[in-house]
Structure formats: structure tokens, C-alpha cells
Amino acid sequence: MVEVRNSGADLHRMRLRLGFALVFVLVLFGLLVVRFLYLQVWRYADYHAQAEDNRISLVPETPGRGLIHDRNGVLLAENVSAFTLELTPARIADLEVTIDAIAGVIEIDPRDRRRFQRLLEDTRSIETIPLKVRLSDEEVARIAVERYRLPGVEIKARQFRNYPLGESASHVLGYIGRISLEDKRRIEEGDDASDYAGATHIGKTGVELSYQQQLHGRAGAARVEVSAGGRVMRTLSRMPPTAGANIVLSIDIQLQKLVEELFGERKGALVAIQPETGEVLAFVSKPTYDPNAFVDGIDHASWQALNDDPAKPLVNRPLRGTYPPGSTYKPFMALAALETGARTPEMTIQDPGYFQLGNRRFRDSKPAGHGTVNLHKSIVVSSDTYYYKLAYDMGVDAIHDFMKPWGFGQLTGIDLDNETTGLLPSRAWKMRRYKQKWYPGESPSIGIGQGYNAFTMLQMAHATATLANGGVAMRPRVVRAIVDPATGKESATSATETNRIALKPGHLELVRAAMVDVSRFGTSRIAFAGAEYTVAGKTGTAQVIGIKQGEKYDARRIAERFRDHSLFMAFAPADKPRLALAVIVENGGFGAQAAAPIARAVFDFHLLGKLPRDFPTTGLPGVSDDAQLRDIPEDLDPQDVDPVIPRERR
């Protein structure tokens, strides 16, 4: 039997289905239209802004860091351009696998890996971290070819700080390093955080730190169009960065290098200052280090080696190393005696070779003593006994009050960060520090620059410059001028008087005359024999370890690190001082033996332009100690100097 279809019903159902489909399509199109209107009309402004943000990016442009020159225009710190290979940890699943893959393309040595690991620990993962710096052209080409399979790996062109003279003047210049998390927090809390957009390095020590704001400059920015993949298509606009200012130091790098070479392998410090201006011409700390090692991030092994070095090359000795001044303190003690009325020029003592206080005997370096000693002679022959008794009579507080305005135990205000104060003792200080009263037996050692006294060579040089300047103290500074790199306009730093010490001219001349005789007839006369200028100076020897009563000091029988320090302070020419200095050679022995010859070379170079011919590195070869200190001129008053000047132990 054949089934007969109802064509009318089929047609109705078909029309019904088409109707539903049409309605569905219309609804869909309606929704699309509504969505279109929502996106293109009602939310147009919002989404247009977002699209622009996705299409356009602001790329920070770091400014060029300012250059550093010495006073004569010698370049001490510069910028060099190079490529660096950087990794973004947040975009890399396995850092070790990626680094191993890179090592298959270019050489990655263990030092690179150690440095990367240290920087990774100190840096947020969203930032790029250098794996290898200063890539060669061949290395750049190899990485570029393989970059498609190395996500999170970039090659960037950067400027690197370079110190062309290496270790020379490194403690003055300091160094820059990568911005740490602590640096970031400090920058974000400051008013110039926007200037550090895109910056990776910052000054860490020295001038690089103290003048960071001037050297850094101001960041710029470029508006660039980028593709969906983040690739830069074109630059739309640009606000160029402002380069950092250039710095001109007061340092004479030739003089600086001369002193560094004269020290050789010995440890110590020297600071040379122009008395009238406070400009520092030499700021030497030995041993030194190469600041270039810190620019790219020093690896742990190298850092550990520097820190564990017993010579402490990272310590800025002029700024932070404190030492007892030894007999270089005596000219200031003599001034204190005259100004306070504790002594007059004519007053004399009998020096038997010791000062007796109760059961304790304070020994002089000359066991037989210096006989009759007045103030002038006490400086020339460096009589310990004279100053033992003077300090006992004055008392520690009177000494403290006189010495404080000279800058002993105080910050000098030099334009370098992290200066230490040193220690100028007083009764109040001891009570605060040790909860003990001051005992009279502690005062005599203060008079010869021992005991609790501990000053920096910067403080010693500053005080010597103040003495040379007639009691007018000028703030020391190592920066002479700041130069605008765009205009070349030079803004000189100003000479600043910090205080004026009231001194009677007659007293000042008395002490100066005695210091001149130190170099003419006294303990430093061999070092300054034949000098074409007159120098006022004082040798000193500071004990590193104490010697028991009754024992005799013998440098040959003790380890070098326990031997006495050699010191010298001076200014020249004595009548119109142009340079004042203080120098210490650690464990160098007598002041006349190690420190004074270095000072002679400094004065010869600065005043006469002469270089030393055969400078002895230890002592004065070929000349016995007695020969160095004999042959007193016949016209010298025997009341002023003994027939034989003893070998100094101060």
C-alpha cells in the first residue's frame, strides 16, 4: 500500500521552521547591532583609549651619566657603549635550561653565572638581568640567529661606566653598580623618582655617590607604536633625556698617581689640601682596587677576595681609617699650652728620659733624656717627657676643648659621604662610653698623640691646613666645579670658611718656627735636605701595640702588622703656604724614615714640578740612623737642640 504525504502539512512545518530560523537570525543580528552600538558608541571613548594604550607605549630613555675629570682636564670616568645579553626571569620557565642553551651558542663562563645568580637574588623577577655584558659583534650575531627559540632573552645596547686609569684615585671616584632593592626604595621615597625611569645603575661610593643627583641627569621618554607581538613599529614622538652634569675634581691626578707609586705595596693614606681654599689635591688610600670590577656586578668570589684581604683595599683610609696621631699632635699641644697659659715660651723642664707619676713611669724615646727643654726645643727634638707633663697639668678636658675647633674627632664636612668622626677623648666621653671616670694617669699619653686619640688623615690634613692658614678653617672639598654638558657653563664650588680660631700671632709664629726647625735641624732634616723651599713639619710614630714597662721596642722581633705607624704632617712654603698634608705609612716605623720622604716628593712635585729620582721604599738606604741625625749646625743655639738629636719613636 502506497503512503500518501500531506504536502500542505509539510509546507506548513517548513514555513514554521524557516520562521523560527529567521527570528533566530534576526535576534542574533540584533544582538550584534546592540553589541556594536555598545562598543562603538556608548563605550567608544574607553575602548579607544585602551586600544591606543596597547598600540602606543612609552619607552623610558636613560640619560648619559656625567663625566669626571681632574683639575687639569684628565678624564677619570667615562661612558662606553656596548651590547649586553639580558634575561627576564618572569618570562623564562627554567633559567638553568635557558642559560645552558645560551652557553651552547656563546661562551658563558662561571663568573657570568655567579654574577647572574647574585643579581637574581637582589632583583625583582619582572626586570631584566644581565647574563653577559659587553658582547662582541660575533656574539651578538650568534644570539640574534638563535633568539627565536630563546624566549625572555634580549640583546640590549647600553652605556657602561669605565674608569680609564683603573685603580688610581678609586677611593675618591668611587664606583657605580646596579640599583638594588634598597636603592629602589630610597629612590621611590625621593622627589626625583621619575628621573630614574629605566635606570639600572647608581653611584655606590665616592664622588659617584655624593654627586649622584648631578651626575645622573633626567630621564626622557619615547612614544612608540608597537605591534600585537610587542615589536616597535615606529616612533611617534620623543622627549630626549637630559645628560648628567660633568664633574671637575680638585684632585691633581699626576700628583695622586705619584703618591700611589711612592707607597708601592705599603699600606697607608695621604691627604694634601690647599690651605686657602680647602681644595684637596691628593686623596690617597693604599692599597686600592679597580672600580671597573663593580660596574657590571662583581661576582661573589671576587667580592669575597676583596673583603677577606687582610690589607683591606676597600677601606677608604683617609675618610674612615682612624689612627693615633703620635708626635704630629705636639705642635697643636704646644699651641694649646701657649693659648691656655699652661706654658710660656721661656719655661723649661728637665727631661731625664721619663715622666714619673706615682708608681708609673712614662718613658721617653731617648732613655737619657733631652736635658733642659723649652717649648721650641720640645717640638724640634720631639720630647715625650715635655708633653707627658703638659698633658697631665692641662687635663683631658682642657685639651679636648682646645682641639675640637681644629676638627679633631669631628666631621670635616668634606663633600664625600660616610666620613667617620674619629675620637677626641674627654671626661664626659669616657663616662658615656665606659661608665667610668677619667683617671689622671690616662692624661699623659694623650699629650703625645697616643691613648684614646684616634683621628683620620683627613682630619690631620685639615688641622694642618688650618694651622698653615693662621687658624682659619676651610671646608675640604674634592669637587672643584660642575659643568653643564649642553652649554659648557662651569659652576665652581665655593670655598667655605667653617670657623676661625682665635690665636695670638706670636704663639702661632713660635710653633711655626719650631716646625721649620724640625725640617732644618730636627727629625725630618734628611728628608728635606737641599729643598728649595722652607717647610714646616712634624714627624710622628704611632704605636700599634703597647709595650710593657721595662721592655724595649724592637721592630725586627715583631710581626710587621704590629710595628709602629710612620706619620708626617707639614705645610710649605712655610711663610706663604700653598699646600698642607698629612701622611701615614702603616707599620712603616719612624716618621722620618717612611712618611717624610713621601711628603718631600709631594712638595717637590707641586711646588717645583720635580719628580723624585731614586725614592727609597723603606728607610734611607746607605745612611745609618746616627748619621741621619747628627751634624747639627754650629750657629744653632744649644738651648734649642741637643748636640745629638735622638732617633724618634713617636
Side-chain angles (χ1 to χ4, degrees), residues 605-624:
F605 181 81
H606 182 69
L607 301 178
L608 308 175
K610 291 184 176 181
L611 289 171
R613 293 181 179 177
D614 297 310
F615 181 80
T617 56
T618 55
L620 298 172
V623 183
S624 68

Side-chain angles (χ1 to χ4, degrees), residues 24 70 134 154 185 226 236 244 251 269 271 279 286 332 338 350 389 415 458 463 481 521 540 544 564 574 602 618:
F24 180 73
D70 89 326
R134 309 195 189 199
E154 298 179 68
R185 285 192 292 269
V226 296
L236 302 175
I251 299 294
V271 178
E279 290 186 2
K286 289 285 291 183
F332 301 98
L338 293 171
Q350 289 299 316
K389 181 167 176 53
D415 51 346
L458 175 59
F521 316 117
V544 176
D564 293 345
V602 170
T618 55

Side-chain angles (χ1 to χ4, degrees), residues 252-259 272 281-282 579 602 605-606:
D252 181 343
I253 196 61
Q254 287 187 320
L255 178 61
Q256 178 87 12
K257 287 177 66 66
L258 169 65
V259 176
L281 271 66
L579 191 68
V602 170
F605 181 81
H606 182 69

Side-chain angles (χ1 to χ4, degrees), residues 300-336:
H300 179 74
S302 300
W303 172 254
Q304 199 67 35
L306 285 171
N307 272 298
D308 294 343
D309 189 335
K312 302 298 180 186
L314 294 178
V315 173
N316 190 325
R317 283 170 161 81
L319 196 69
R320 298 193 55 78
T322 57
Y323 308 89
S327 291
T328 60
Y329 204 44
K330 290 175 179 175
F332 301 98
M333 284 294 300
L335 269 176

Side-chain angles (χ1 to χ4, degrees), residues 393-419:
D393 292 345
M394 288 185 64
V396 67
D397 284 345
I399 296 172
H400 171 276
D401 293 346
F402 181 83
M403 297 300 179
K404 184 176 179 179
W406 293 86
F408 292 112
Q410 317 299 314
L411 297 177
T412 65
I414 193 172
D415 51 346
L416 291 174
D417 288 0
N418 301 319
E419 179 185 4

Side-chain angles (χ1 to χ4, degrees), residues 12-27:
H12 176 72
R13 285 194 295 270
M14 177 63 69
R15 287 174 178 173
L16 187 62
R17 291 170 183 169
L18 289 173
F20 277 119
L22 179 61
V23 171
F24 180 73
V25 169
L26 289 175
V27 170

